[in-house]
Amino acid sequence: RIARKAESLEALGDALAAFDGCTLKATATKLCFYRGAPTARLMLIGEAPGREEDLEGKPFVGRAGQLLDKMLKAIDLTEADVHIANVVYWRPPGNRTPTPQETLACRPFLERQIELVRPQFIVALGGSAAKEVLGVSDGIMRLRGKWRDIKIGNITVPALATLHPAYLLRTPDAKQKAWLDLLAIKARLDG
Ligand code: URA
């Protein structure tokens, strides 16, 4: 109800800042809402803020974020062309995977965020975000690279999962697969 009432992204950010329903907030430094454009054709959704993100209050500003920016640049996109968020808005202690309860507490806000951003395409970064955004439980290697229409909040939008940039940092050989996914994203954006 709190999330649905927000009529703008700014109001949604204020609502999140006042929201105490996610236990992650207690251990986090800052709320990590979004980075990039308030409305964008492409919305990217990751798992959870890490250490750098927690300090800065913005998603994907650490090493994984730098790689993400390079990946976007490779398909001619900058931060101003995209809206970047996570499935949870606060850093899980020690960067553990968010629990289903933590994710569930944030879910109405993510849905409202998607409604307000009105992206034409959504990209889930990594297995955890893919499960949450696509609503399926297959592993990321099976899920990645395929568009499927998802219904989220009151919109239906094509979504694709790709490999998480943090995984690509650890596993450079997987960059080839990520490149194929980036080309699929570019093809959709270019119509
Ligand atoms: N990893 C994520 O999933 N999200 C961030 O914001 C940073 C790293």
Side-chain angles (χ1 to χ4, degrees):
R1 187 172 38 81
I2 303 168
R4 255 186 284 124
K5 251 180 40 193
E7 294 293 342
S8 66
L9 263 192
E10 200 189 350
L12 189 65
D14 291 344
L16 268 170
F19 178 65
D20 285 324
C22 178
T23 46
L24 291 174
K25 189 182 187 178
T27 48
T29 311
K30 281 193 182 168
L31 164 69
C32 196
F33 185 26
Y34 77 93
R35 174 163 82 85
T39 62
R41 292 180 68 206
L42 179 65
M43 179 166 176
L44 300 139
I45 305 174
E47 175 179 311
R51 195 171 68 91
E52 311 296 327
E53 290 77 19
D54 179 58
L55 294 174
E56 238 183 87
K58 282 186 181 180
F60 284 99
V61 292
R63 276 186 73 218
Q66 284 160 20
L67 178 56
L68 179 62
D69 286 349
K70 274 197 207 163
M71 292 162 69
L72 292 172
K73 189 159 179 242
I75 52 166
D76 303 320
L77 297 175
T78 68
E79 184 186 74
D81 301 310
V82 298
H83 184 95
I84 306 174
N86 283 304
V87 299
V88 298
Y89 297 95
W90 293 274
R91 181 196 185 194
N95 295 350
R96 61 163 171 74
T97 304
T99 66
Q101 290 89 330
E102 289 157 356
T103 304
L104 195 65
C106 292
R107 173 86 190 189
F109 292 92
L110 182 66
E111 291 188 358
R112 189 67 187 134
Q113 188 169 358
I114 292 168
E115 288 173 1
L116 291 167
V117 173
R118 293 224 151 264
Q120 284 169 18
F121 307 103
I122 290 180
V123 170
L125 299 165
S128 170
K131 281 194 184 97
E132 182 59 25
V133 171
L134 303 175
V136 285
S137 55
D138 287 352
I140 183 66
M141 286 303 175
R142 271 174 162 274
L143 287 178
R144 59 152 284 274
K146 299 180 200 108
W147 291 101
R148 49 191 98 206
D149 281 344
I150 57 160
K151 230 182 103 50
I152 212 155
N154 62 12
I155 68 169
T156 301
V157 56
L160 171 141
T162 188
L163 304 174
H164 196 290
Y167 173 77
L168 297 175
L169 287 172
R170 295 190 302 271
T171 321
D173 283 356
K175 282 185 183 170
Q176 222 169 5
K177 291 195 177 80
W179 177 238
L180 294 176
D181 299 343
L182 284 171
L183 291 177
I185 295 163
K186 184 167 170 50
R188 284 307 280 263
L189 286 171
D190 290 349

